[in-house]
Amino acid sequence: MTEAILLVGGKGTRLRPLTVHTPKPMVPAAGVPFLTHQLARARAAGVEHIVLATSYLAEVFEPYFGDGAAMGLHIEYVTEREPLGTGGALRNVAARLHSGPEEPVLVFNGDILTGLDIRALVDTHESTGADVSLHLTKVTDPRAYGLVPTDETGRVLAFLEKPQTPEEIVTDQINAGAYVFRRSVIDAIPAGRPVSVERETFPGLLAAGAHLQGMVDSTYWLDLGTPAAFVRGSADLVLGHAPSPAVPGRRGDRLILPTATVAPDAKLTGGTVVGEGAFVAEGARISGSAILPGAVVEAGAVVTDSLIGSRARVGERSLLTGVVIGDGAVVGADNELRDGVRVWCGAQIPAGAVRFSSDM
């Protein structure tokens, strides 16, 4: 197997304001665009040719990655003019594939951070003669996911929508967002219209008697669709909990990129990353957070489990816990922002304007 498709066309609406100016796969995680980690892991598994299925802010990808040669890859770009869904996106890039009809093509969703053994998934696909093989993972609470029950050999029996009652939870296995397709299956997806692989392609294949194989791999897996999950994923990459050959430095409690400036008495812990050109002033305490390029955290500020957007500023003594500050936003001194707060790009919060506790 030498080629793959990465689905990177989504708008990332759950991640806004991070995705106002940046497509979700290009938001930095552990110091580099998240997509870099996926590309590096694919290359390490033997993939050589990758087609990026782009749509939202498609013009951002190619200037950064070019033809992929710097990563040992050959990268091509195909842009959807109208959103086509997961299946439609696969069909839209099919003409760029080099594989023969019976050969395997790896498919990744662009928002999943995983320790999946990619070679094992391909080996499972080839040894079972499947038409499509799916990475499945087990979750404690599967209510937010589509369920994928299998028989004792791993063959997929059904695709079940998000369960609403305890009786509907027949398995803890969910679709983890990575697949190996027989090339001919991709070519058979209807062209020129939206198609969902989860709701149309996979159920249709099952109904037609096709062989869909599941492989359970319950190593690290995280859907980066929400700000809290994205911040956690970045920290896990820095800490070494999530595997990637693309982390630009030694794993540990913190990662400071080369052109960042951090005061000697600032305390960085919990997988915090400080991006290129960012500045952290004296007495600041930052834990489990991502400070994106050009951002400023002023003296005495405390930032926990948060993401500070590019060129944003956090004022002196402000306390931020579980929040997202959009690109170019300014949080004045002595503010207190808590879980779930999203400050939009370019917004300005005056000093002492927002608090959850008394001014004493």
Side-chain angles (χ1 to χ4, degrees):
M1 183 205 61
T2 60
E3 62 183 348
I5 300 170
L6 263 67
L7 302 173
V8 294
K11 291 185 176 180
T13 53
R14 291 184 297 159
L15 275 179
R16 291 171 83 83
L18 296 178
T19 51
V20 170
H21 305 300
T22 307
K24 177 168 52 177
M26 296 298 288
V27 177
V32 296
F34 172 67
L35 180 58
T36 309
H37 300 290
Q38 290 188 308
L39 293 172
R41 293 203 71 241
R43 182 66 191 96
V47 175
E48 298 173 357
H49 176 225
I50 292 184
V51 183
L52 296 188
T54 67
S55 179
Y56 177 65
L57 297 176
E59 67 278 6
V60 172
F61 295 93
E62 189 167 2
Y64 188 92
F65 293 106
D67 63 4
M71 299 186 71
L73 291 164
H74 174 214
I75 299 177
E76 296 188 66
Y77 305 83
V78 178
T79 301
E80 300 169 26
R81 300 308 170 190
E82 300 292 336
L84 294 172
T86 48
L90 294 180
R91 183 65 180 84
N92 192 51
V93 307
R96 300 293 186 92
L97 298 174
H98 303 157
S99 300
E102 301 305 307
E103 292 181 320
V105 178
L106 183 67
V107 175
F108 284 123
N109 280 333
D111 54 2
I112 301 296
L113 178 59
T114 176
L116 167 69
D117 185 337
I118 297 171
R119 286 303 323 174
L121 181 62
V122 176
D123 291 344
T124 295
H125 177 82
E126 294 181 333
S127 65
T128 60
D131 296 295
V132 181
S133 297
L134 299 85
H135 171 209
L136 307 179
T137 193
K138 294 179 180 290
V139 295
T140 304
D141 184 358
R143 289 176 297 177
Y145 305 96
L147 308 185
V148 186
T150 56
D151 67 14
E152 64 278 1
T153 70
R155 188 159 181 159
V156 173
L157 300 174
F159 291 90
L160 307 176
E161 288 300 312
K162 297 174 184 177
Q164 303 300 311
T165 66
E167 293 75 25
E168 292 177 295
I169 302 176
V170 298
T171 181
D172 58 357
Q173 297 175 174
I174 66 166
N175 179 352
Y179 320 108
V180 180
F181 276 74
R182 190 190 304 271
R183 163 68 190 274
S184 58
V185 174
I186 296 175
D187 290 333
I189 296 173
R193 68 169 177 85
V195 179
S196 165
V197 293
E198 299 86 357
R199 295 181 178 86
E200 181 177 344
T201 304
F202 291 160
L205 286 168
L206 272 187
H211 180 175
L212 277 68
Q213 186 72 20
M215 188 194 81
V216 177
D217 183 328
S218 294
T219 53
Y220 185 97
W221 183 86
L222 186 63
D223 177 351
L224 301 185
T226 66
F230 198 96
V231 171
R232 178 183 155 200
S234 177
D236 283 349
L237 283 161
V238 174
L239 291 166
H241 298 160
S244 170
V247 176
R250 293 182 61 184
R251 289 168 177 76
D253 241 11
R254 65 185 195 174
L255 174 64
I256 302 171
L257 270 68
T259 60
T261 302
V262 176
D265 66 343
K267 187 175 182 181
L268 310 181
T269 59
T272 289
V273 58
V274 183
E276 296 281 3
F279 175 74
V280 178
E282 60 272 9
R285 289 184 289 142
I286 306 176
S287 175
S289 298
I291 313 302
L292 298 195
V296 174
V297 179
E298 296 184 355
V302 179
V303 180
T304 304
D305 298 336
S306 298
L307 193 147
I308 312 303
S310 297
R311 305 174 308 283
R313 179 177 292 267
V314 177
E316 296 180 351
R317 298 175 301 281
S318 281
L319 307 179
L320 278 61
T321 302
V323 306
V324 173
I325 309 300
D327 296 343
V330 176
V331 177
D334 299 306
N335 280 290
E336 184 181 1
L337 307 180
R338 290 191 178 176
D339 292 340
V341 168
R342 305 184 191 210
V343 178
W344 226 250
C345 298
Q348 299 194 25
I349 299 178
V354 178
R355 296 196 65 82
F356 285 80
S357 58
S358 76
D359 61 359
M360 301 300 292

